[in-house]
Amino acid sequence: MARLAGKVAVVTGAGSIGNGWGNGKACAVVYAREGAQVVLVDRNEEVVAQTSDFIEQEGGSAISVVVDVSTELGVETYVEAALRHYGTIDILHNNVGIGIPRNFVEITESEWDLIYRVNLKSVFLGCRQVLPIMRSRGGGSIINISSIASHRWTGTSLAAYASSKAAINQLTQAIAIEYAKERIRCNAVVLGFIDTPTVFAGLSAGATEAERQLLAAQRDAACPMGRMGTVWEVASACVFLASDEASYVTGTELVVDGGLSATVPAG
Ligand SMILES: NC(=O)c1ccc[n+]([C@@H]2O[C@H](COP(=O)([O-])OP(=O)(O)OC[C@H]3O[C@@H](n4cnc5c(N)ncnc54)[C@H](O)[C@@H]3O)[C@@H](O)[C@H]2O)c1
């Protein structure tokens, strides 16, 4: 039996930056494989079309909505499209997140505002519009994608990104408790080093394959399992939280990092 049969899932950032598989793209595909009808939301029409085509080729059901999820209009547009096509929303998966590596005093005000708008305000706006729908439906599951950078230093200057993700963790708890009696669950998935194209997008435009491999090897070596996580391992955790199997799981942070945040540097 498909674990999300009969459910409608919205996934933000359902495309992927660069070739390959990002977290949102993999989660959208796995939700569809588990029987959900999926609303694919992304600001990039080309990449979200790739996700949509993939789902359709596998026999799944999806629609694409091209918007910026950090704006009220963007959120209204994807919510309206979900209701028009599928009639409701059972799962809201807030995956969109951006980071700009900068030493602390070099972060500009506009960069700070952009990161907070895209990472945090998008989650606030999305939840604010979707919660009443879930309430009228008698329940739902919200999954907010966070990062171990919300808990501790991860080796890069990412103050705006890290603090915005920490705010997502707390927003998750606030929603979970306020809506617990409404049978709406809200959880954060706290990711460690995952092997996605975005990681390598941070390299300079002229980076060689050897430089790419060096970065991958450094990230692999930093993880207790000797490798980064895969987007499919992220999707497995998210399917659990999205499904009724997690009916008594709310307000939690599910850390998917292969044990990375349980370590300290060797003395
Ligand atoms: N990759 C990692 O190692 C890692 C680690 C920790 C947390 N994360 C988190 O995982 C999430 C996804 O990361 P990823 O690297 O898989 O995704 P990604 O960077 O490939 O982005 C996914 C999609 O989001 C879309 N997007 C970006 N801004 C948008 C906006 N304002 N409106 C609509 N769409 C927008 C992009 O077009 C892209 O297709 C992020 O929240 C990120 O912080 C990733």
Side-chain angles (χ1 to χ4, degrees), residues 101-132:
R102 285 275 185 278
N103 291 336
F104 189 80
V105 295
E106 291 171 358
I107 306 166
T108 66
E109 188 178 349
S110 63
E111 287 171 340
W112 180 276
D113 288 346
L114 174 69
I115 290 169
Y116 265 72
R117 186 162 54 76
V118 173
N119 292 6
L120 184 62
K121 191 174 174 188
S122 68
V123 177
F124 159 66
L125 291 173
C127 291
R128 194 172 62 157
Q129 290 210 27
V130 170
L131 279 163

mmCIF file of all heavy atoms in Angstrom, residues 101-132:
data_model
loop_
_atom_site.group_PDB
_atom_site.id
_atom_site.type_symbol
_atom_site.label_atom_id
_atom_site.label_comp_id
_atom_site.label_asym_id
_atom_site.label_seq_id
_atom_site.Cartn_x
_atom_site.Cartn_y
_atom_site.Cartn_z
ATOM 1 N N PRO A 101 27.836 32.426 1.595
ATOM 2 C CA PRO A 101 28.984 32.413 2.511
ATOM 3 C C PRO A 101 29.637 33.796 2.577
ATOM 4 O O PRO A 101 29.987 34.349 1.541
ATOM 5 C CB PRO A 101 29.944 31.385 1.882
ATOM 6 C CG PRO A 101 29.166 30.683 0.832
ATOM 7 C CD PRO A 101 28.068 31.598 0.408
ATOM 8 N N ARG A 102 29.739 34.356 3.763
ATOM 9 C CA ARG A 102 30.342 35.685 3.959
ATOM 10 C C ARG A 102 30.904 35.741 5.377
ATOM 11 O O ARG A 102 30.239 35.293 6.311
ATOM 12 C CB ARG A 102 29.278 36.789 3.898
ATOM 13 C CG ARG A 102 28.754 37.126 2.554
ATOM 14 C CD ARG A 102 29.639 38.141 1.835
ATOM 15 N NE ARG A 102 28.987 38.501 0.601
ATOM 16 C CZ ARG A 102 29.041 37.785 -0.520
ATOM 17 N NH1 ARG A 102 29.745 36.681 -0.553
ATOM 18 N NH2 ARG A 102 28.402 38.172 -1.609
ATOM 19 N N ASN A 103 32.068 36.357 5.514
ATOM 20 C CA ASN A 103 32.501 36.676 6.866
ATOM 21 C C ASN A 103 31.456 37.597 7.496
ATOM 22 O O ASN A 103 30.832 38.388 6.784
ATOM 23 C CB ASN A 103 33.862 37.376 6.850
ATOM 24 C CG ASN A 103 34.962 36.408 6.429
ATOM 25 O OD1 ASN A 103 34.807 35.187 6.577
ATOM 26 N ND2 ASN A 103 36.035 36.941 5.893
ATOM 27 N N PHE A 104 31.337 37.503 8.830
ATOM 28 C CA PHE A 104 30.190 38.146 9.480
ATOM 29 C C PHE A 104 30.035 39.622 9.122
ATOM 30 O O PHE A 104 28.953 40.068 8.751
ATOM 31 C CB PHE A 104 30.265 37.977 11.000
ATOM 32 C CG PHE A 104 29.019 38.430 11.681
ATOM 33 C CD1 PHE A 104 27.895 37.614 11.712
ATOM 34 C CD2 PHE A 104 28.933 39.688 12.243
ATOM 35 C CE1 PHE A 104 26.713 38.044 12.306
ATOM 36 C CE2 PHE A 104 27.761 40.131 12.833
ATOM 37 C CZ PHE A 104 26.657 39.294 12.866
ATOM 38 N N VAL A 105 31.108 40.388 9.218
ATOM 39 C CA VAL A 105 30.964 41.835 8.990
ATOM 40 C C VAL A 105 30.818 42.185 7.509
ATOM 41 O O VAL A 105 30.543 43.336 7.160
ATOM 42 C CB VAL A 105 32.145 42.638 9.593
ATOM 43 C CG1 VAL A 105 32.163 42.510 11.102
ATOM 44 C CG2 VAL A 105 33.469 42.208 8.975
ATOM 45 N N GLU A 106 30.997 41.200 6.640
ATOM 46 C CA GLU A 106 30.871 41.463 5.202
ATOM 47 C C GLU A 106 29.463 41.208 4.654
ATOM 48 O O GLU A 106 29.175 41.515 3.500
ATOM 49 C CB GLU A 106 31.888 40.615 4.424
ATOM 50 C CG GLU A 106 33.324 41.075 4.670
ATOM 51 C CD GLU A 106 34.363 40.137 4.089
ATOM 52 O OE1 GLU A 106 33.976 39.095 3.524
ATOM 53 O OE2 GLU A 106 35.557 40.433 4.224
ATOM 54 N N ILE A 107 28.598 40.631 5.470
ATOM 55 C CA ILE A 107 27.223 40.410 4.999
ATOM 56 C C ILE A 107 26.563 41.765 4.826
ATOM 57 O O ILE A 107 26.555 42.572 5.757
ATOM 58 C CB ILE A 107 26.392 39.599 6.029
ATOM 59 C CG1 ILE A 107 27.080 38.291 6.392
ATOM 60 C CG2 ILE A 107 24.985 39.335 5.492
ATOM 61 C CD1 ILE A 107 26.493 37.626 7.634
ATOM 62 N N THR A 108 26.008 42.012 3.632
ATOM 63 C CA THR A 108 25.327 43.292 3.441
ATOM 64 C C THR A 108 23.897 43.180 3.979
ATOM 65 O O THR A 108 23.362 42.076 4.156
ATOM 66 C CB THR A 108 25.260 43.669 1.948
ATOM 67 O OG1 THR A 108 24.409 42.708 1.291
ATOM 68 C CG2 THR A 108 26.637 43.667 1.310
ATOM 69 N N GLU A 109 23.312 44.324 4.216
ATOM 70 C CA GLU A 109 21.944 44.332 4.727
ATOM 71 C C GLU A 109 20.996 43.676 3.727
ATOM 72 O O GLU A 109 20.082 42.935 4.100
ATOM 73 C CB GLU A 109 21.508 45.771 5.030
ATOM 74 C CG GLU A 109 20.175 45.840 5.748
ATOM 75 C CD GLU A 109 19.784 47.266 6.091
ATOM 76 O OE1 GLU A 109 20.607 48.183 5.962
ATOM 77 O OE2 GLU A 109 18.615 47.448 6.500
ATOM 78 N N SER A 110 21.227 43.928 2.442
ATOM 79 C CA SER A 110 20.316 43.341 1.440
ATOM 80 C C SER A 110 20.486 41.823 1.367
ATOM 81 O O SER A 110 19.519 41.096 1.160
ATOM 82 C CB SER A 110 20.498 43.991 0.076
ATOM 83 O OG SER A 110 21.789 43.754 -0.400
ATOM 84 N N GLU A 111 21.720 41.319 1.554
ATOM 85 C CA GLU A 111 21.927 39.865 1.582
ATOM 86 C C GLU A 111 21.226 39.250 2.799
ATOM 87 O O GLU A 111 20.587 38.200 2.706
ATOM 88 C CB GLU A 111 23.422 39.535 1.623
ATOM 89 C CG GLU A 111 24.128 39.778 0.298
ATOM 90 C CD GLU A 111 25.647 39.664 0.399
ATOM 91 O OE1 GLU A 111 26.199 39.779 1.520
ATOM 92 O OE2 GLU A 111 26.284 39.470 -0.637
ATOM 93 N N TRP A 112 21.389 39.910 3.940
ATOM 94 C CA TRP A 112 20.740 39.432 5.170
ATOM 95 C C TRP A 112 19.219 39.347 4.962
ATOM 96 O O TRP A 112 18.584 38.328 5.265
ATOM 97 C CB TRP A 112 21.075 40.381 6.328
ATOM 98 C CG TRP A 112 20.459 39.963 7.635
ATOM 99 C CD1 TRP A 112 19.193 40.241 8.070
ATOM 100 C CD2 TRP A 112 21.068 39.154 8.641
ATOM 101 N NE1 TRP A 112 18.975 39.663 9.298
ATOM 102 C CE2 TRP A 112 20.105 38.990 9.680
ATOM 103 C CE3 TRP A 112 22.310 38.557 8.782
ATOM 104 C CZ2 TRP A 112 20.374 38.246 10.830
ATOM 105 C CZ3 TRP A 112 22.577 37.818 9.938
ATOM 106 C CH2 TRP A 112 21.607 37.674 10.945
ATOM 107 N N ASP A 113 18.654 40.438 4.427
ATOM 108 C CA ASP A 113 17.203 40.474 4.217
ATOM 109 C C ASP A 113 16.754 39.411 3.211
ATOM 110 O O ASP A 113 15.720 38.772 3.396
ATOM 111 C CB ASP A 113 16.769 41.862 3.723
ATOM 112 C CG ASP A 113 16.856 42.914 4.817
ATOM 113 O OD1 ASP A 113 16.982 42.533 6.005
ATOM 114 O OD2 ASP A 113 16.814 44.116 4.492
ATOM 115 N N LEU A 114 17.545 39.217 2.156
ATOM 116 C CA LEU A 114 17.189 38.221 1.140
ATOM 117 C C LEU A 114 17.156 36.815 1.758
ATOM 118 O O LEU A 114 16.200 36.054 1.546
ATOM 119 C CB LEU A 114 18.204 38.263 -0.014
ATOM 120 C CG LEU A 114 18.028 37.171 -1.067
ATOM 121 C CD1 LEU A 114 16.740 37.394 -1.861
ATOM 122 C CD2 LEU A 114 19.228 37.128 -2.032
ATOM 123 N N ILE A 115 18.195 36.492 2.519
ATOM 124 C CA ILE A 115 18.268 35.141 3.109
ATOM 125 C C ILE A 115 17.103 34.922 4.071
ATOM 126 O O ILE A 115 16.451 33.868 4.055
ATOM 127 C CB ILE A 115 19.639 34.941 3.790
ATOM 128 C CG1 ILE A 115 20.725 34.844 2.714
ATOM 129 C CG2 ILE A 115 19.637 33.706 4.686
ATOM 130 C CD1 ILE A 115 22.143 34.902 3.226
ATOM 131 N N TYR A 116 16.805 35.936 4.886
ATOM 132 C CA TYR A 116 15.687 35.781 5.829
ATOM 133 C C TYR A 116 14.337 35.715 5.109
ATOM 134 O O TYR A 116 13.434 34.996 5.524
ATOM 135 C CB TYR A 116 15.713 36.904 6.880
ATOM 136 C CG TYR A 116 16.429 36.445 8.124
ATOM 137 C CD1 TYR A 116 17.813 36.267 8.136
ATOM 138 C CD2 TYR A 116 15.713 36.097 9.277
ATOM 139 C CE1 TYR A 116 18.464 35.785 9.264
ATOM 140 C CE2 TYR A 116 16.364 35.620 10.400
ATOM 141 C CZ TYR A 116 17.736 35.471 10.388
ATOM 142 O OH TYR A 116 18.369 34.972 11.498
ATOM 143 N N ARG A 117 14.226 36.464 4.031
ATOM 144 C CA ARG A 117 12.959 36.452 3.279
ATOM 145 C C ARG A 117 12.742 35.084 2.625
ATOM 146 O O ARG A 117 11.666 34.493 2.729
ATOM 147 C CB ARG A 117 12.986 37.576 2.224
ATOM 148 C CG ARG A 117 11.690 37.772 1.482
ATOM 149 C CD ARG A 117 11.628 39.135 0.784
ATOM 150 N NE ARG A 117 12.735 39.425 -0.103
ATOM 151 C CZ ARG A 117 12.888 38.895 -1.319
ATOM 152 N NH1 ARG A 117 11.993 38.053 -1.796
ATOM 153 N NH2 ARG A 117 13.927 39.200 -2.061
ATOM 154 N N VAL A 118 13.789 34.573 1.979
ATOM 155 C CA VAL A 118 13.649 33.298 1.258
ATOM 156 C C VAL A 118 13.576 32.122 2.233
ATOM 157 O O VAL A 118 12.760 31.207 2.062
ATOM 158 C CB VAL A 118 14.821 33.114 0.260
ATOM 159 C CG1 VAL A 118 14.784 31.726 -0.360
ATOM 160 C CG2 VAL A 118 14.765 34.188 -0.816
ATOM 161 N N ASN A 119 14.402 32.119 3.261
ATOM 162 C CA ASN A 119 14.468 30.944 4.152
ATOM 163 C C ASN A 119 13.350 30.919 5.191
ATOM 164 O O ASN A 119 12.793 29.852 5.454
ATOM 165 C CB ASN A 119 15.814 30.914 4.890
ATOM 166 C CG ASN A 119 16.971 30.639 3.953
ATOM 167 O OD1 ASN A 119 16.798 30.584 2.743
ATOM 168 N ND2 ASN A 119 18.157 30.478 4.500
ATOM 169 N N LEU A 120 13.065 32.083 5.785
ATOM 170 C CA LEU A 120 12.152 32.092 6.933
ATOM 171 C C LEU A 120 10.773 32.654 6.593
ATOM 172 O O LEU A 120 9.752 32.031 6.905
ATOM 173 C CB LEU A 120 12.784 32.909 8.071
ATOM 174 C CG LEU A 120 12.015 32.949 9.377
ATOM 175 C CD1 LEU A 120 11.859 31.559 9.984
ATOM 176 C CD2 LEU A 120 12.735 33.875 10.383
ATOM 177 N N LYS A 121 10.742 33.797 5.924
ATOM 178 C CA LYS A 121 9.437 34.400 5.635
ATOM 179 C C LYS A 121 8.616 33.493 4.716
ATOM 180 O O LYS A 121 7.394 33.406 4.841
ATOM 181 C CB LYS A 121 9.624 35.780 5.000
ATOM 182 C CG LYS A 121 8.346 36.577 4.919
ATOM 183 C CD LYS A 121 8.621 37.983 4.428
ATOM 184 C CE LYS A 121 7.336 38.742 4.213
ATOM 185 N NZ LYS A 121 7.575 40.034 3.568
ATOM 186 N N SER A 122 9.285 32.781 3.817
ATOM 187 C CA SER A 122 8.559 31.867 2.915
ATOM 188 C C SER A 122 7.838 30.784 3.721
ATOM 189 O O SER A 122 6.724 30.374 3.370
ATOM 190 C CB SER A 122 9.525 31.215 1.921
ATOM 191 O OG SER A 122 10.414 30.332 2.581
ATOM 192 N N VAL A 123 8.463 30.332 4.800
ATOM 193 C CA VAL A 123 7.848 29.291 5.639
ATOM 194 C C VAL A 123 6.656 29.887 6.402
ATOM 195 O O VAL A 123 5.577 29.293 6.474
ATOM 196 C CB VAL A 123 8.884 28.690 6.621
ATOM 197 C CG1 VAL A 123 8.228 27.666 7.541
ATOM 198 C CG2 VAL A 123 10.037 28.051 5.838
ATOM 199 N N PHE A 124 6.857 31.091 6.945
ATOM 200 C CA PHE A 124 5.763 31.783 7.638
ATOM 201 C C PHE A 124 4.571 31.993 6.699
ATOM 202 O O PHE A 124 3.425 31.647 7.017
ATOM 203 C CB PHE A 124 6.267 33.123 8.185
ATOM 204 C CG PHE A 124 5.182 34.128 8.456
ATOM 205 C CD1 PHE A 124 4.238 33.903 9.443
ATOM 206 C CD2 PHE A 124 5.099 35.300 7.702
ATOM 207 C CE1 PHE A 124 3.222 34.827 9.688
ATOM 208 C CE2 PHE A 124 4.089 36.223 7.941
ATOM 209 C CZ PHE A 124 3.150 35.984 8.929
ATOM 210 N N LEU A 125 4.844 32.534 5.516
ATOM 211 C CA LEU A 125 3.752 32.830 4.575
ATOM 212 C C LEU A 125 3.042 31.553 4.130
ATOM 213 O O LEU A 125 1.807 31.504 4.063
ATOM 214 C CB LEU A 125 4.303 33.560 3.338
ATOM 215 C CG LEU A 125 4.820 34.992 3.550
ATOM 216 C CD1 LEU A 125 5.483 35.499 2.269
ATOM 217 C CD2 LEU A 125 3.703 35.927 3.982
ATOM 218 N N GLY A 126 3.829 30.513 3.844
ATOM 219 C CA GLY A 126 3.234 29.255 3.391
ATOM 220 C C GLY A 126 2.373 28.632 4.477
ATOM 221 O O GLY A 126 1.221 28.231 4.223
ATOM 222 N N CYS A 127 2.909 28.541 5.684
ATOM 223 C CA CYS A 127 2.151 27.920 6.779
ATOM 224 C C CYS A 127 0.899 28.735 7.095
ATOM 225 O O CYS A 127 -0.168 28.181 7.360
ATOM 226 C CB CYS A 127 3.031 27.807 8.034
ATOM 227 S SG CYS A 127 4.369 26.616 7.843
ATOM 228 N N ARG A 128 1.034 30.062 7.058
ATOM 229 C CA ARG A 128 -0.115 30.909 7.386
ATOM 230 C C ARG A 128 -1.272 30.672 6.433
ATOM 231 O O ARG A 128 -2.430 30.691 6.836
ATOM 232 C CB ARG A 128 0.313 32.380 7.353
ATOM 233 C CG ARG A 128 -0.696 33.299 7.994
ATOM 234 C CD ARG A 128 -0.188 34.681 8.115
ATOM 235 N NE ARG A 128 0.104 35.287 6.821
ATOM 236 C CZ ARG A 128 0.141 36.597 6.605
ATOM 237 N NH1 ARG A 128 -0.079 37.433 7.584
ATOM 238 N NH2 ARG A 128 0.420 37.083 5.419
ATOM 239 N N GLN A 129 -0.977 30.402 5.169
ATOM 240 C CA GLN A 129 -2.073 30.168 4.217
ATOM 241 C C GLN A 129 -2.565 28.723 4.212
ATOM 242 O O GLN A 129 -3.721 28.452 3.927
ATOM 243 C CB GLN A 129 -1.620 30.549 2.805
ATOM 244 C CG GLN A 129 -1.458 32.050 2.672
ATOM 245 C CD GLN A 129 -1.721 32.547 1.257
ATOM 246 O OE1 GLN A 129 -2.471 31.938 0.500
ATOM 247 N NE2 GLN A 129 -1.121 33.656 0.924
ATOM 248 N N VAL A 130 -1.675 27.802 4.534
ATOM 249 C CA VAL A 130 -2.053 26.387 4.428
ATOM 250 C C VAL A 130 -2.702 25.857 5.719
ATOM 251 O O VAL A 130 -3.566 24.975 5.655
ATOM 252 C CB VAL A 130 -0.809 25.540 4.035
ATOM 253 C CG1 VAL A 130 -1.089 24.059 4.140
ATOM 254 C CG2 VAL A 130 -0.370 25.898 2.608
ATOM 255 N N LEU A 131 -2.338 26.409 6.859
ATOM 256 C CA LEU A 131 -2.900 25.901 8.123
ATOM 257 C C LEU A 131 -4.438 25.907 8.158
ATOM 258 O O LEU A 131 -5.046 24.908 8.569
ATOM 259 C CB LEU A 131 -2.323 26.686 9.315
ATOM 260 C CG LEU A 131 -0.920 26.223 9.751
ATOM 261 C CD1 LEU A 131 -0.243 27.269 10.636
ATOM 262 C CD2 LEU A 131 -0.986 24.884 10.467
ATOM 263 N N PRO A 132 -5.106 26.982 7.731
ATOM 264 C CA PRO A 132 -6.578 26.940 7.748
ATOM 265 C C PRO A 132 -7.156 25.842 6.846
ATOM 266 O O PRO A 132 -8.207 25.263 7.153
ATOM 267 C CB PRO A 132 -6.976 28.332 7.234
ATOM 268 C CG PRO A 132 -5.792 29.199 7.508
ATOM 269 C CD PRO A 132 -4.599 28.314 7.336
#
